[in-house]
Amino acid sequence: MHYGLGIDTGGTYTDAVLLRGSDGMIVDSKKAFTTYPDLQIGISAVLDALDQELLSQVNLVSVSTTLSTNSLLEGTGTPVGLVLIGQHPADQEFPTPDLIVVPGGHGPGGEEEVPLDTEAIRGFGSRTKDKVSAYAISAFFGTRNPEHELRAKSLIQKITGKPVVCGHELSQELGAYERAVTAVLNAQLIPITHLFVSAVMADIRKRGINARMLMLKCDGSVYNLEDALEKPIETIFSGPAASLLGASYLAKLDTCAAIDVGGTSTDVSAIYHGVPEISVSGSVVGGWKTRVRAMKMETSATGGDSHVWITDGKVKIGPRRVIPLCVAAVEYPGLLQKLSHMRPLPRKSLDENYQPTKFFVRTGYASNGLNNEEAEMLQHIGSDPISIHELYTYMHAMPSGKIIDSLIKKRLVQAIGFTPTDALHVRGEYTAWDLDASHMGAELLSRYNGSKKYEFCTHVKEHVARNMAYSQMAFLLPERSRPLVDELLSGLYPAKFSLKLPVVLLGGPVKAYSEEMSALLDAYIIVPEHADVGNAVGALAGKGVKKVEVLIMPVSIEKPAEDFLIFYPGGRERVVDYREAFERARQIGLDMVLDYENRCGVSKEETQINISVKNISPENWPHPPLETRITVVGIGDPMMIIKE
């Protein structure tokens, strides 16, 4: 008997499931905390908790993660140096301050227009090699001829020894600016993706498991783990993609909406007839437009571990994630005593960090590149939680929220606070952790908005449920409808939205929200079995889908029937005859698709191939087309491996 192993590592939990190949049934599932900075501790813990006899029979491992997305959204990616080749508008902004624009670049036909300034690139590499962890390179028409990008990459690698990412390696779409942004974000993700992938591979190999290892991409397809190390940008939103595929699989529905309540955020999406919609214009990450194909989905910064805080007597939720009080009290036994002795704080001073339930603890990451203020504050924060009031006592001054935020962004400090998970503990609807800590936190905060603790927690729960409903309806309806969505969900009118498709809820305590969701939406609300590990299930449900576009164009418009250029991902070729060029382009696309499927463990015979051709020519054009675009799509099912 063969089994599939699905692993999902989120900001709070690492989940694992075992799926039986004969009938697709989930035979075991476990959860463990995601551990920082050593992810392998959490991965090993969750795999140790699984049935070891069944685990030894695994022959397919597929993983997903929100670590990439969280890193970009929180601004905690590593510093990157950017080399732009060719003229770029001066007013364009990029996700890094360390950049240089050098002469070079090609034209639409792939011909060199300006020689590459190699000396400028050498100088940039020498100046920045001690400041950045990776480099990104993007050249004008680098997709039509990557020669300058590849030369710059070789120079930077020789000078710095650092990883280098080229724009043409990530996208064949035109748009130099978006390719450059995509390359920078990809370079930022190399360290954390390498950390995650290496942790998974090391643990699987340590156990002697001989299995094909794949990773879910943000468009719902999968790719080889080694490829994930080269193109980590494609892992952004792999967590939300996994939640949608997991929702469809667990609910046994080809058409449904999905709401996944994680620790950091709530993700909403929908699938129709087994096919998720793909964003044709490229995904937007942290406000940056990229050339990455991803499922259509929306994320809101409200999750089970979102920080609940008080300011001006009003309850705020998020956007930051904190360790829930109930969880922290288990990990740090002294926290309960500190909570019980918390002094009242001045109401006018309350902000996101200055709260009676807010604590801080060191993470274990190396503290490099700190300024004096950051270093001074960090020396007072240790392995035991410290309150904001204690920091004030030790520093003899009000702790700077700006410095605290900086230390959190640099992953040197983790915050602890009251969360929606704590609110569910007080209400008795989810009681996995320390109840006393949640009750103490609710008692402290409720005093500041003039309510009782149970009433306070009910308000928090209703806020989260309303956010879930709003996010789903705002996703399903046109953007112009969002004011109407907000108004109708306010409860002021005797009406509510009616959905024609079922809504599947995923996440640890989502069952507690099903009643509120039914009150807000007229829809069939489903909380399937194993909803708490839906993303790990979704990691296994991805297909091996590969799309390759190959372009044929005449070298010269004046001689449109004599000489042709073939453009494909990573290169170009020149062929004299159009028919020969067509067959060569078709074969290039087919070979690239089949090679991809093979790396996913899908054989040529098991791959479904579709080839389409689009020609562009003026009316009554007597020559070969001015442009021929050959699109080769391959679809394979890696799950067939576990059925063998």
Side-chain angles (χ1 to χ4, degrees):
M1 182 70 69
H2 288 154
Y3 295 86
L5 170 63
I7 303 171
D8 176 73
T9 295
T12 304
Y13 290 105
T14 293
D15 303 336
V17 298
L18 285 172
L19 193 147
R20 188 165 56 210
S22 59
D23 55 10
M25 292 292 292
I26 296 168
V27 294
D28 197 7
S29 66
K30 292 293 185 293
K31 298 175 76 73
F33 282 117
T34 299
T35 50
Y36 304 97
D38 189 352
L39 297 174
Q40 192 165 356
I41 295 173
I43 292 168
S44 294
V46 77
L47 296 187
D48 285 342
L50 291 171
D51 185 309
Q52 297 301 296
E53 183 178 348
L54 300 182
L55 186 62
S56 67
Q57 300 176 60
V58 162
N59 65 333
L60 172 65
V61 178
S62 191
V63 302
S64 66
T65 183
T66 58
L67 294 176
S68 299
T69 314
N70 293 347
S71 178
L72 294 180
L73 292 176
E74 295 169 7
T76 55
T78 57
V80 169
L82 172 62
V83 177
L84 297 169
I85 301 173
Q87 291 299 315
H88 287 257
D91 60 346
Q92 287 181 332
E93 293 187 11
F94 293 92
T96 177
D98 297 304
L99 61 87
I100 187 173
V101 181
V102 302
H106 294 78
E111 68 284 356
E112 183 181 80
E113 290 198 336
V114 179
L116 181 65
D117 188 342
T118 55
E119 288 305 311
I121 294 171
R122 287 191 181 93
F124 179 72
S126 298
R127 292 193 304 273
T128 58
K129 64 181 179 180
D130 295 328
K131 292 177 59 181
V132 304
S133 299
Y135 288 85
I137 298 171
S138 184
F140 257 71
F141 287 104
T143 56
R144 296 292 170 85
N145 190 337
E147 179 193 359
H148 283 185
E149 288 189 358
L150 292 173
R151 283 175 61 193
K153 179 177 183 176
S154 178
L155 287 170
I156 291 290
Q157 285 177 328
K158 287 179 181 177
I159 294 168
T160 70
K162 302 282 178 71
V164 182
V165 175
C166 293
H168 79 273
E169 297 169 337
L170 303 172
S171 172
Q172 284 300 295
E173 298 290 333
L174 296 178
Y177 174 71
E178 288 84 359
R179 279 202 318 279
V181 168
T182 305
V184 171
L185 297 180
N186 191 79
Q188 286 182 353
L189 294 176
I190 287 174
I192 192 164
T193 304
H194 191 277
L195 193 68
F196 172 64
V197 170
S198 299
V200 172
M201 294 175 70
D203 195 275
I204 294 299
R205 287 169 178 165
K206 178 186 70 177
R207 297 171 190 271
I209 298 173
N210 183 22
R212 176 74 62 174
M213 288 189 275
L214 307 176
M215 187 166 192
L216 191 70
K217 298 198 293 184
C218 48
D219 63 357
S221 64
V222 293
Y223 61 160
N224 187 289
L225 267 189
E226 284 82 1
D227 294 337
L229 294 175
E230 296 293 325
K231 299 181 180 181
I233 189 68
E234 295 187 355
T235 70
I236 60 170
F237 303 132
S238 78
S243 70
L244 180 58
L245 295 178
S248 175
Y249 188 94
L250 291 174
K252 297 180 173 58
L253 294 170
D254 286 339
T255 298
C256 65
I259 303 178
D260 180 19
V261 182
T264 307
S265 61
T266 293
D267 303 319
V268 295
S269 51
I271 189 168
Y272 300 93
H273 309 294
V275 180
E277 286 188 276
I278 302 298
S279 175
V280 294
S281 60
S283 56
V284 178
V285 190
W288 297 104
K289 183 82 163 54
T290 76
R291 285 295 180 186
V292 179
R293 283 169 45 86
M295 285 186 182
K296 279 188 177 180
M297 48 76 63
E298 290 190 10
T299 299
S300 61
T302 302
D305 296 346
S306 293
H307 184 210
V308 178
W309 50 291
I310 301 285
T311 183
D312 296 326
K314 297 178 181 178
V315 180
K316 302 287 186 179
I317 303 182
R320 283 264 172 83
R321 170 193 167 269
V322 297
I323 301 175
L325 293 174
C326 57
V327 175
V330 175
E331 189 171 351
Y332 306 102
L335 183 66
L336 275 179
Q337 185 177 7
K338 290 194 174 189
L339 269 173
S340 65
H341 289 86
M342 278 299 295
R343 299 178 184 178
L345 302 178
R347 291 174 181 268
K348 291 184 179 180
S349 301
L350 296 180
D351 59 22
E352 188 174 2
N353 287 315
Y354 198 67
Q355 294 286 309
T357 53
K358 194 77 176 277
F359 298 85
F360 305 95
V361 66
R362 286 282 289 267
T363 62
Y365 280 95
S367 53
N368 300 319
L370 299 182
N371 61 37
N372 292 336
E373 291 175 305
E374 291 170 337
E376 181 187 358
M377 182 177 290
L378 191 60
Q379 72 177 352
H380 297 297
I381 302 175
S383 56
D384 289 320
I386 184 172
S387 69
I388 194 77
H389 185 77
E390 289 174 305
L391 269 178
Y392 175 81
T393 302
Y394 293 144
M395 298 181 68
H396 307 292
M398 180 68 74
S400 165
K402 183 179 179 181
I403 301 302
I404 291 173
D405 290 342
S406 177
L407 293 174
I408 291 173
K409 276 192 171 185
K410 292 179 178 180
R411 296 185 179 273
L412 299 174
V413 168
Q414 173 64 59
I416 297 168
F418 194 84
T419 68
T421 299
D422 289 298
L424 293 182
H425 275 67
V426 174
R427 288 176 52 86
E429 295 168 321
Y430 182 67
T431 56
W433 306 101
D434 191 293
L435 291 171
D436 290 338
S438 297
H439 279 273
M440 287 182 187
E443 189 72 49
L444 285 166
L445 289 177
S446 61
R447 295 173 186 171
Y448 290 87
N449 81 326
S451 63
K452 300 295 185 182
K453 67 177 180 181
Y454 192 86
E455 178 187 354
F456 173 78
C457 292
T458 299
H459 174 76
V460 170
K461 182 188 177 187
E462 289 174 346
H463 179 101
V464 174
R466 194 160 51 249
N467 176 75
M468 292 165 63
Y470 175 85
S471 298
Q472 186 66 81
M473 294 312 305
F475 173 78
L476 294 173
L477 296 174
E479 190 168 336
R480 63 179 180 274
S481 304
R482 296 193 176 190
L484 171 64
V485 173
D486 194 41
E487 194 170 358
L488 199 53
L489 290 174
S490 67
L492 298 176
Y493 305 98
K496 61 181 179 179
F497 289 104
S498 178
L499 276 71
K500 293 182 179 179
L501 71 170
V503 178
V504 183
L505 305 185
L506 294 183
V510 288
K511 193 172 183 179
Y513 292 101
S514 59
E515 186 176 331
E516 280 76 10
M517 290 298 293
S518 295
L520 290 165
L521 301 175
D522 180 11
Y524 179 33
I525 307 293
I526 302 171
V527 182
E529 187 180 5
H530 302 295
D532 60 329
V533 291
N535 284 26
V537 175
L540 278 170
K543 297 289 192 295
V545 181
K546 181 64 175 178
K547 176 182 177 181
V548 175
E549 290 187 341
V550 186
L551 191 67
I552 305 172
M553 297 175 65
V555 172
S556 170
I557 299 298
E558 286 71 28
K559 299 179 180 179
E562 294 185 10
D563 215 356
F564 300 89
L565 287 171
I566 302 171
F567 302 101
Y568 56 90
R572 68 170 191 157
E573 294 183 12
R574 191 164 180 164
V575 179
V576 175
D577 179 70
Y578 175 77
R579 289 186 179 180
E580 183 183 346
F582 184 91
E583 287 304 317
R584 175 61 183 150
R586 180 181 176 280
Q587 193 61 49
I588 288 172
L590 186 60
D591 289 345
M592 294 183 79
V593 164
L594 291 176
D595 177 64
Y596 178 94
E597 296 292 344
N598 181 62
R599 294 200 306 276
C600 291
V602 180
S603 68
K604 177 180 179 181
E605 292 73 25
E606 294 170 332
T607 302
Q608 177 186 338
I609 297 291
N610 180 270
I611 301 177
S612 60
V613 179
K614 183 178 181 180
N615 293 319
I616 298 177
S617 293
E619 191 174 353
N620 300 320
W621 183 253
H623 306 292
L626 285 179
E627 179 181 299
T628 296
R629 188 177 297 271
I630 300 174
T631 304
V632 183
V633 178
I635 303 175
D637 186 0
M639 289 274 282
M640 292 297 295
I641 298 172
I642 68 172
K643 296 177 182 179
E644 295 173 357

